[in-house]
């Protein structure tokens, strides 16, 4: 099944190159020919486009409904990750919201072909660790405040 065929001619003094690019069943077939020589077939494997990749492309092109679809699809996974770290439902919901917010604003840096679910899970775990660090820092500052009060 050939979806698209592109033919290019490149000419420089003393050399003429013809290349044909065809997308065939998720791979790119390229034929090169120099002058009247026999063309040589070169094949490259194209990364298959996943449903998440498609939704990411639509989101990057301004389709907010596409990101909403990603959110609905992966919400339970992100929620369960946050739930393993925290018992408070409010904290878990804050982590989920922050995770999707960071994912939305970092979507351009997502590498196509990687799994979006793993990328999103990494953001969620990092957010949980950040929250734990904030809580530890907060408790240390509270203890410091108490010890300062005791000195007076």
């Amino acid at each position: 099944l050939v979806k698209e065929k592109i033919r290019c001619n490149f000419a420089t003094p003393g050399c003429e190159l013809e290349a044909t690019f065809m997308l065939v069943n998720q791979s790119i077939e390229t034929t090169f020919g120099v002058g009247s020589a026999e063309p040589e077939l070169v094949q490259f494997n194209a990364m298959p486009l996943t449903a998440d990749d498609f939704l990411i492309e639509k989101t990057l092109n301004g389709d907010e409904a596409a990101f909403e679809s990603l959110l609905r699809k992966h919400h339970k996974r992100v929620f369960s990750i946050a739930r393993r770290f925290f018992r408070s439902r409010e904290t878990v919901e804050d982590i989920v919201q922050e995770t999707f917010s960071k994912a939305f604003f970092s979507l351009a840096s997502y590498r196509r072909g990687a799994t979006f679910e793993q990328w999103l899970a990494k953001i969620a775990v990092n957010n949980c660790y950040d929250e734990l660090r904030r809580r530890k820092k907060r408790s240390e500052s509270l203890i410091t405040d108490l010890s300062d009060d005791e000195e007076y």
Side-chain angles (χ1 to χ4, degrees):
L1 174 70
V2 176
K3 292 189 176 186
E4 190 171 342
K5 187 174 185 176
I6 302 170
R7 185 178 303 264
C8 303
N9 288 310
F10 306 96
T12 58
C15 181
E16 186 176 317
L17 174 68
E18 181 179 291
T20 305
F21 302 93
M22 294 182 293
L23 181 60
V24 182
N25 293 333
Q26 299 298 326
S27 68
I28 300 171
E29 290 185 356
T30 306
T31 306
F32 291 101
V34 179
S36 61
E38 187 68 30
E40 180 183 338
L41 178 67
V42 180
Q43 194 170 42
F44 302 94
N45 289 329
M47 302 278 283
L49 190 65
T50 65
D52 286 346
D53 289 343
F54 178 72
L55 290 170
I56 289 166
E57 287 299 322
K58 288 181 74 171
T59 301
L60 290 172
N61 289 323
D63 186 350
E64 292 177 15
F67 188 75
E68 192 175 319
S69 296
L70 285 169
L71 190 144
R72 277 193 306 265
K73 181 177 179 183
H74 297 286
H75 181 267
K76 287 180 183 177
R77 172 89 167 119
V78 173
F79 189 89
S80 71
I81 290 169
R83 192 74 176 142
R84 288 185 191 140
F85 284 83
F86 303 101
R87 291 186 202 137
S88 164
R89 185 168 181 87
E90 294 82 25
T91 303
V92 170
E93 288 173 354
D94 288 345
I95 295 291
V96 170
Q97 183 175 358
E98 188 175 340
T99 298
F100 280 106
S101 176
K102 284 183 178 179
F104 179 79
F105 290 110
S106 301
L107 214 48
S109 69
Y110 168 72
R111 191 172 32 88
R112 305 316 173 265
T115 65
F116 179 73
E117 184 177 14
Q118 288 176 349
W119 184 75
L120 193 60
K122 182 73 172 167
I123 294 172
V125 168
N126 287 341
N127 283 338
C128 291
Y129 284 134
D130 290 345
E131 179 61 24
L132 289 172
R133 280 190 286 273
R134 277 192 293 271
R135 287 177 177 213
K136 182 179 179 186
K137 195 177 222 179
R138 212 175 305 138
S139 69
E140 287 174 357
S141 68
L142 290 174
I143 291 171
T144 305
D145 290 344
L146 285 175
S147 63
D148 288 344
D149 290 341
E150 291 172 359
E151 290 177 9
Y152 296 107

